[in-house]
């Protein structure tokens, strides 16, 4: 960990329109799509309907070819094909864990890579998506935090991760099949992959609006959870402009420990964070906030911590998600012992809060929470390590 490293966010999002290429329609808001259609000559009075039709093809049926949009006139389809593309990021590799978890290494414009993880469970399928390449926030227990941030993802690259997973899982309605006839494999979204979503607010918002829209991906806002390390000034905006479920990477019960684990705490401390969280359920009309708490041996896992946690969150409708630390090569922490985690959970549960212990998934393919880091970055780092060990640097 670098205690004095500044918390910055001066990163660039590449423009949606590459200099000479056609505009990608994936990720455009309704307004932006209407503007794009108007610019190629779509009559004003048709815009609303065209946007709805095109969204349905793209996000409900998974169509990538304008020619398949059979409720549009042939000439109009040709006009669209001449000016636009429907593109999602490319899957470079896919790893399937023994427990069925799938990890996709996804290449985005500029050759950067992010990871997307699909976690099948009995009653749901959760897709964990990334919002940035790497992360500027150097949380000391997080593998992504050791990767230098390269850039923010565009809205198209964020919503594109949902689409590419649905491609791979065959999760689009088949011809003749109505929406909702088959249970959806990607039924839940968590913004818990690489990056801090609230440091890429506009793009995350635009992508989630498409995910929640009845003519878009059509997932209920209750099935979308955004996890933040605690970017306090953006929490009220998340409630007002997205309105999804909120999770917060809490991880400690004193500022002294949280400063070390989640360095953004030095900017917005526990008291400031709690104040913003207290207002969230009312502003977003959602039931409760998820407090994520990574269990680190001898760091934040005492009975006293559990009791302090209950005191701190008193009055906030909450669920506490205990995450056994997922180890990664060179990590400076260890996972708390299992009986310690259970004892911690028990104290919280007895105080009247749900305290599920998150089962680590996809550990064998390095797909668990906090282990995500692009393969190229990993390779680069291990090469540097090899050099150092060999005394060559
Ligand atoms: N940047 C956001 C979302 C991505 S991290 C955030 O920090 O909330 C998703 C969750 O995984 C966070 O709660 C994060 O603190 C946790 N996490 C990170 N590294 C981990 C690790 N090695 N083991 C377990 N959980 C980890
Ligand atoms: Fe970034 Fe979240 Fe990892 Fe912290 S835990 S470094 S905010 S991805």
């Amino acid at each position: 960990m670098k205690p004095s490293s500044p918390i910055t966010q001066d990163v660039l999002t590449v423009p949606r329109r590459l200099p000479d290429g056609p505009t990608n329609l994936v990720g455009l808001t309704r307004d932006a799509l209407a503007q794009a259609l108007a610019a190629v000559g779509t009559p004003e009075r048709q815009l609303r309907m065209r946007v709805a039709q095109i969204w349905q093809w793209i996000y409900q049926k998974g169509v990538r070819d304008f020619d398949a949009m059979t409720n549009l006139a042939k000439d109009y389809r040709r006009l669209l094909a001449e000016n636009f593309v429907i593109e999602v990021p490319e899957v470079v590799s896919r790893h399937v864990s023994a427990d069925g978890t799938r990890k996709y290494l996804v290449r985005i414009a500029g050759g950067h890579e992010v990871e997307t993880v699909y976690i099948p469970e009995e009653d749901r399928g959760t897709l964990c998506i990334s919002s940035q390449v790497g992360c500027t926030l150097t949380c000391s227990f997080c593998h992504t935090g050791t990767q230098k941030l390269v850039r923010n993802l565009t809205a198209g690259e964020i919503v594109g991760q949902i689409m590419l997973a649905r491609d791979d899982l065959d999760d689009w309605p088949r011809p003749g099949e109505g929406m909702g006839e088959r249970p959806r494999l990607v039924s839940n979204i968590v913004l818990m992959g690489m990056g801090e979503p609230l440091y890429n607010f506009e793009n995350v918002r635009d992508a989630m609006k498409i995910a929640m829209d009845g003519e878009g991906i059509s997932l209920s806002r209750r099935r979308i959870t955004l996890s933040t390390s605690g970017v306090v000034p953006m929490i009220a905006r998340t409630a007002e402009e997205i309105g999804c479920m909120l999770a917060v990477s809490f991880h400690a019960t004193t500022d002294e420990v949280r400063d070390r684990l989640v360095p953004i705490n030095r900017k917005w401390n526990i008291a400031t964070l709690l104040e913003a969280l207290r207002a969230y359920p009312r502003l977003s009309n959602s039931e409760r906030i998820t407090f994520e708490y990574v269990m680190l041996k001898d760091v934040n896992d005492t009975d006293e911590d559990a009791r302090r946690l209950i005191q701190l969150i008193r009055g906030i409708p909450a669920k506490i998600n205990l995450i056994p630390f997922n180890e990664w090569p060179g990590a400076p922490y260890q996972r708390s012992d299992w009986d310690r985690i259970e004892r911690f959970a028990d104290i919280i549960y007895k105080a009247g809060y749900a305290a599920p212990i998150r089962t680590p998934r996809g550990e064998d393919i390095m797909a668990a929470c906090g282990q995500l880091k692009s393969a190229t970055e990993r390779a680069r780092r291990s090469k540097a390590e090899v050099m150092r060990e060999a005394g060559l640097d």
Side-chain angles (χ1 to χ4, degrees):
M1 180 167 114
K2 291 164 274 168
S4 58
S5 62
I7 295 159
T8 56
Q9 197 221 339
D10 44 357
V11 291
L12 190 75
T13 302
V14 291
R16 287 202 180 90
R17 196 190 164 95
L18 298 171
D20 308 315
T23 302
N24 184 11
L25 298 187
V26 177
L28 295 189
T29 60
R30 280 175 181 274
D31 285 352
L33 177 54
Q35 269 177 31
L37 297 178
V40 298
T42 309
E44 181 74 33
R45 62 190 153 71
Q46 289 182 6
L47 282 176
R48 265 180 80 95
M49 184 174 68
R50 295 291 172 242
V51 167
Q53 287 170 320
I54 294 168
W55 265 35
Q56 285 168 3
W57 285 113
I58 296 179
Y59 300 116
Q60 296 191 345
K61 302 200 173 77
V63 160
R64 303 286 148 79
D65 180 357
F66 293 104
D67 225 29
M69 301 185 177
T70 46
N71 57 356
L72 302 177
K74 270 215 166 91
D75 286 350
Y76 191 61
R77 284 186 248 161
R78 196 172 318 122
L79 177 76
L80 294 176
E82 279 163 11
N83 290 281
F84 304 119
V85 288
I86 303 167
E87 273 176 7
V88 301
E90 179 197 354
V91 176
V92 183
S93 65
R94 189 189 75 168
H95 296 274
V96 183
S97 157
D99 68 15
T101 300
R102 293 178 184 211
K103 179 170 82 172
Y104 306 99
L105 181 65
V106 175
R107 183 171 300 141
I108 57 170
H112 307 303
E113 287 164 355
V114 292
E115 292 179 341
T116 308
V117 177
Y118 177 70
I119 308 147
E121 287 172 279
E122 243 163 58
D123 60 337
R124 70 181 72 183
T126 303
L127 193 71
C128 177
I129 62 181
S130 293
S131 56
Q132 300 183 305
V133 183
C135 188
T136 43
L137 299 172
T138 48
C139 299
S140 51
F141 54 89
C142 173
H143 201 33
T144 308
T146 65
Q147 175 177 340
K148 211 168 145 252
L149 179 97
V150 186
R151 71 165 168 87
N152 281 337
L153 300 197
T154 62
E157 289 161 348
I158 298 169
V159 80
Q161 292 171 67
I162 308 176
M163 297 165 71
L164 64 84
R166 294 187 78 186
D167 289 349
D168 181 58
L169 296 162
D170 189 18
D171 189 33
W172 299 104
R174 299 187 183 130
E177 197 177 59
M179 279 242 311
E181 248 173 68
R182 250 186 322 147
R184 290 176 65 162
L185 295 173
V186 177
S187 65
N188 292 59
I189 304 288
V190 293
L191 280 147
M192 293 186 189
M194 296 162 68
E196 168 49 58
L198 297 190
Y199 270 169
N200 185 14
F201 184 81
E202 275 87 10
N203 291 313
V204 165
R205 176 198 58 203
D206 292 352
M208 291 307 106
K209 288 233 163 233
I210 295 172
M212 294 185 288
D213 196 295
E215 275 159 353
I217 308 266
S218 306
L219 289 171
S220 148
R221 65 188 187 86
R222 289 175 203 285
R223 290 182 173 271
I224 297 178
T225 303
L226 183 151
S227 174
T228 181
S229 57
V231 184
V232 166
M234 302 309 286
I235 289 179
R237 275 190 78 188
T238 306
E240 281 152 13
E241 297 179 37
I242 308 178
C244 59
M245 306 300 284
L246 186 71
V248 63
S249 294
F250 209 66
H251 304 325
T253 61
T254 64
D255 281 323
E256 192 250 316
V257 176
R258 195 162 191 271
D259 279 353
R260 276 193 285 134
L261 299 181
V262 189
I264 202 177
N265 195 66
R266 295 183 210 138
K267 203 160 178 178
W268 296 293
N269 66 13
I270 292 181
T272 317
L273 175 59
L274 286 170
E275 206 178 305
L277 295 176
R278 244 171 248 288
Y280 191 87
R282 182 179 43 81
L283 291 178
S284 65
N285 190 25
S286 60
E287 311 81 48
R288 56 185 183 173
I289 290 176
T290 302
F291 284 76
E292 296 164 281
Y293 199 96
V294 62
M295 299 298 296
L296 304 171
K297 188 175 189 161
D298 300 330
V299 175
N300 63 356
D301 62 353
T302 62
D303 286 0
E304 209 190 339
D305 278 306
R307 283 191 283 266
R308 238 187 335 251
L309 182 59
I310 297 159
Q311 293 289 330
L312 286 170
I313 66 171
R314 182 148 289 161
I316 303 177
K319 160 175 127 183
I320 292 126
N321 212 327
L322 299 176
I323 318 175
F325 174 57
N326 294 308
E327 294 185 16
W328 38 273
Y333 300 105
Q334 285 174 301
R335 179 180 292 182
S336 304
D337 294 333
W338 202 255
D339 52 351
R340 182 89 296 271
I341 301 178
E342 283 185 335
R343 168 87 187 131
F344 198 96
D346 201 45
I347 295 175
I348 293 167
Y349 180 73
K350 288 209 172 101
Y353 293 97
I357 302 170
R358 194 184 290 171
T359 321
R361 297 289 303 264
E363 282 183 297
D364 52 340
I365 54 166
M366 287 279 287
C369 244
Q371 290 185 332
L372 304 187
K373 181 164 172 171
S374 72
T376 40
E377 280 289 328
R378 229 170 352 242
R380 212 172 292 148
R381 180 168 162 205
S382 48
K383 191 174 169 206
E385 276 163 5
V386 170
M387 299 271 286
R388 207 172 313 126
E389 273 163 26
L392 295 172
D393 66 348

